[in-house]
Amino acid sequence: MSITRYPRPANLPPSLANQDDLQRQREIILQHVLNTSLLFAGSAFLFWLYRISWQVNQPLVWLAGGLLVLLLAVTFIRRLPFGLRAFFVLTLIGAVGVADLLRGGLSSSGPLYLLTFAIVGGAFFGTQRGIITLVAAGIAQILIGWLMVNQHVPIPAFWVMANSGLINSWLYSIFSTALCGIILAGSVFQFTESLIATLKDTRLMARNLDSERAQLEVRVQLRTNELARKASLLEAARQVASEIAAQTDIEPLLNTTVNVVRDRFDFYHAGIFMPDENGEYAVLRAATGDAGRQMLSAGHRLRIGQVGIVGYVMSKGEPRITGNVDEDPAHYVNPVLPETRSEMAVPMKLGDRGIGVLDVQSTRRNAFSSDDVDVLTTIADQISSALEKARLLEQYQKIVEDLQETARQNTRPAWQKHLRETRKRYAYRYRQMKVEPIPADQFALDPILPKQPQVVAQPNQSYSTIQVPIKLRDQVIG
C-alpha cells in the first residue's frame, strides 16, 4: 500500500467501519485539518530555519522539530484513537494562538487561531464540547488581555506588532489567515457536502418510498381484484354445482351445464364434447346460443388428437389455454363463432379415464388465468361425476323396469296355476258390517276381468254393481 494512501481523508480506518455517518464525517474533517496543518507547519519550519541562527535558537528548534514530528505521526498513523488525534491538533492550534497573542498582542493572528480552535473543537466533539472550547478561547484572550493591561506580562514592542510596511508582517498575516481559513472552510465544506449528500439521499429515499408505496398499492389492488375474482369464480362454481346436482338425466344435465357456465362466468361460448363409440371423434353434445344449435344440428365433431384445442385436450387429458387464437395453430377456426379471441378447454375425467371436454371461449384476448383453469377443472370433475351418476341411475332404472316386467309376466300365470291346482274359488262379500264368503251357487265371475273400476248394470234388477279390479304387481287377479 502506498504511503500516500494513509493521509487521504476518504480512506477511513477499519475501526470506523461500523460508526455512524456523523463520526465518519468528523474523521474526514480531522484528516483535512491534520493535512493542512502539516503542510503549513512544515513550510513554516523550513522557512524559519532559513531565517534564524541554528546555534542561538537550538532549544527552540528542537521543540519545534519535535512538535512537527508528532504532527507527522498523528497525521499518518490513523489507527490512533480519534479523540487523541483531535485533542492533539486542537491543543496545537490553541497553543499557537496563545503564543501569537503573547508575542504580538491584538495586532497578531492570535484571536484568529483561538476562534479556529473554538469552531474546530465544536466540529470534532459536538455542541457541548464546542461550547467548552469557545469558552476556553475566550478565557485565554481575556486573561492575556488583563495581564497586559496590568503589565504583568510585557507589552509587545512596536517592531514586533504588525507593520504594514514590512513584507514579513504581510507574509505572516497571509500565512495565518490561509491556515485558519483553509481549516474552517474545509470543515464547513465537508459538513455542507455531507448535508447535501444526506439531503439527496433523503430525497432519493423518499422518491423510492413513494414509488414503492405506489407499486405496493398497485400490487395490493391487483391482489384484491384477483381475490375478488377468485371468490366470484368459486361462488359461480358453487352455483353451477348446485344446479348440476339437481339434474338426473344426461341431456338436460349437459344443456344446463353449458348455459350456467356461460352465464355465470360471462363467456362468449361454452360447449361439451364427448368421444364417439370408436374414440375417433370428439362429438359436440351440448352448446350455447344460436351457434350451438347450428353446430348440434350439423353434427359438429372434431378428430381427436388432430383438430382443434378440443381434439388436443381429448387426446392428452390435460387443460390447454390459448390467450390469442390467431397465434395458436391448434385452434379450430369455427365460422359460426367469429368473435372468439381466446379459448380454454379442460378434460372431463372419471379417475384416469377421459369422458369428455368442457370448452369455453371469450371475446377478449388473454381472458383466462390459472384460477379459471382450477375452477373449470373442478366444474368438469363435477360434470363427470354427475354424468356417471345419471348413467348409473338410467342403468338402475332399466334394471328395475326389466325386473318389474318379468314379475308382471310371471304373476298372472302363477295365480292361475294356483287356482287350477286348488280347484277353489275365492269370493267374499261385505254386508251388515261383516265380511262373509259367497256361496258358489250365488257367485258368478265375469269371464273378462276389468282392468279399471266400472259400473255394471244388472239385468232385471233395480240395482247396479261396481267392479274394481284387484291387482298384484300390476296384474289383475280378481
Side-chain angles (χ1 to χ4, degrees):
M1 184 180 293
S2 175
I3 192 172
T4 59
R5 176 180 175 83
Y6 290 103
R8 294 177 184 176
N11 295 332
L12 297 177
S15 59
L16 293 177
N18 297 324
Q19 297 293 330
D20 56 21
D21 292 337
L22 179 59
Q23 187 59 37
R24 287 196 288 268
Q25 294 303 320
R26 287 173 174 171
E27 173 65 28
I28 293 174
I29 293 173
L30 172 60
Q31 195 61 38
H32 275 301
V33 173
L34 288 171
N35 292 345
T36 303
S37 301
L38 180 62
L39 176 63
F40 277 81
S43 301
F45 181 72
L46 294 176
F47 180 75
W48 182 59
L49 289 179
Y50 173 74
R51 294 294 303 272
I52 67 172
S53 172
W54 169 263
Q55 289 78 10
V56 177
N57 298 285
Q58 187 174 358
L60 192 59
V61 170
W62 282 109
L63 176 62
L67 291 175
L68 184 62
V69 171
L70 286 176
L71 179 61
L72 181 66
V74 170
T75 302
F76 278 83
I77 305 176
R78 299 187 68 177
R79 289 176 296 178
L80 295 173
F82 171 82
L84 177 63
R85 300 169 70 227
F87 179 78
F88 173 79
V89 73
L90 279 178
T91 303
L92 190 61
I93 294 173
V96 171
V98 171
D100 199 37
L101 195 60
L102 290 172
R103 183 191 66 84
L106 293 175
S107 63
S108 67
S109 299
L112 182 59
Y113 282 108
L114 292 177
L115 178 62
T116 303
F117 166 80
I119 295 175
V120 174
F124 287 164
F125 298 108
T127 303
Q128 293 182 352
R129 295 183 182 181
I131 293 175
I132 294 175
T133 57
L134 179 61
V135 171
I139 292 175
Q141 192 167 0
I142 292 172
L143 180 60
I144 294 172
W146 182 82
L147 292 174
M148 285 187 177
V149 169
N150 291 280
Q151 298 183 356
H152 293 293
V153 295
I155 299 174
F158 176 77
W159 62 270
V160 177
M161 296 182 182
N163 190 340
S164 300
L166 298 176
I167 186 63
N168 290 342
S169 298
W170 283 104
L171 290 176
Y172 183 75
S173 177
I174 293 172
F175 176 87
S176 300
T177 303
L179 175 60
C180 295
I182 291 174
I183 292 175
L184 295 176
S187 301
V188 173
F189 175 78
Q190 183 61 37
F191 273 121
T192 303
E193 287 294 310
S194 176
L195 179 60
I196 292 174
T198 301
L199 291 176
K200 288 182 178 179
D201 292 341
T202 302
R203 293 193 188 98
L204 179 60
M205 186 181 299
R207 286 195 296 268
N208 292 337
L209 288 175
D210 290 339
S211 176
E212 290 180 1
R213 183 180 62 185
Q215 294 176 3
L216 180 61
E217 291 177 352
V218 171
R219 289 197 296 269
V220 169
Q221 185 62 40
L222 291 176
R223 183 59 178 167
T224 301
N225 294 339
E226 181 181 349
L227 291 176
R229 173 173 170 76
K230 184 176 292 187
S232 176
L233 291 176
L234 293 176
E235 176 62 19
R238 186 194 64 80
Q239 295 177 0
V240 170
S242 176
E243 297 193 28
I244 290 175
Q247 297 292 336
T248 57
D249 295 331
I250 293 179
E251 293 303 326
L253 170 63
L254 297 177
N255 291 325
T256 298
T257 299
V258 293
N259 285 286
V260 170
V261 167
R262 181 197 61 182
D263 296 339
R264 292 288 186 271
F265 293 93
D266 194 26
F267 292 145
Y268 172 49
H269 174 76
I272 292 179
F273 291 78
M274 301 184 74
D276 59 6
E277 295 180 355
N278 299 325
E280 185 178 358
Y281 289 94
V283 181
L284 183 66
R285 294 288 302 275
T288 57
D290 294 336
R293 284 188 287 273
Q294 295 180 35
M295 289 188 288
L296 289 171
S297 300
H300 180 63
R301 63 180 186 174
L302 300 171
R303 185 179 289 274
I304 296 175
Q306 297 184 19
V307 179
I309 295 175
V310 170
Y312 172 87
V313 174
M314 186 77 78
S315 65
K316 299 296 183 179
E318 59 187 27
R320 177 162 179 170
I321 296 177
T322 296
N324 186 354
V325 296
D326 296 333
E327 298 177 355
D328 191 345
H331 171 69
Y332 170 74
V333 180
N334 197 327
V336 299
L337 296 172
E339 298 181 25
T340 297
R341 295 296 177 267
S342 57
E343 182 179 5
M344 177 173 65
V346 294
M348 296 161 47
K349 293 182 176 181
L350 279 175
D352 295 332
R353 179 170 60 91
I355 64 170
V357 171
L358 173 60
D359 178 70
V360 293
Q361 301 180 24
S362 175
T363 57
R364 296 181 294 109
R365 288 186 172 87
N366 300 314
F368 306 111
S369 65
S370 58
D371 292 335
D372 296 300
V373 174
D374 295 339
V375 173
L376 287 181
T377 299
T378 300
I379 292 176
D381 293 339
Q382 293 171 344
I383 297 171
S384 301
S385 299
L387 287 174
E388 181 66 7
K389 182 184 71 173
R391 186 187 67 80
L392 292 176
L393 182 60
E394 287 186 356
Q395 183 177 348
Y396 293 152
Q397 288 176 342
K398 181 65 168 60
I399 292 173
V400 170
E401 290 175 357
D402 292 342
L403 292 175
Q404 289 177 343
E405 181 62 26
T406 301
R408 282 195 297 268
Q409 294 175 359
N410 294 333
T411 297
R412 187 177 182 88
W415 182 254
Q416 291 175 347
K417 180 180 179 182
H418 171 72
L419 293 178
R420 286 194 304 268
E421 292 177 351
T422 59
R423 298 180 178 274
K424 185 176 180 181
R425 302 181 69 184
Y426 297 94
Y428 299 89
R429 65 184 175 188
Y430 178 79
R431 187 173 65 174
Q432 296 179 352
M433 304 295 291
K434 294 180 181 181
V435 177
E436 57 184 19
I438 300 176
D441 56 351
Q442 297 183 15
F443 176 77
L445 185 64
D446 290 342
I448 301 177
L449 297 177
K451 294 184 178 181
Q452 298 294 333
Q454 62 184 11
V455 178
V456 179
Q458 299 296 327
N460 303 320
Q461 299 293 334
S462 60
Y463 62 88
S464 299
T465 61
I466 298 177
Q467 295 181 351
V468 179
I470 300 173
K471 294 182 177 181
L472 177 63
R473 296 172 184 167
D474 204 31
Q475 295 294 311
V476 179
I477 62 172

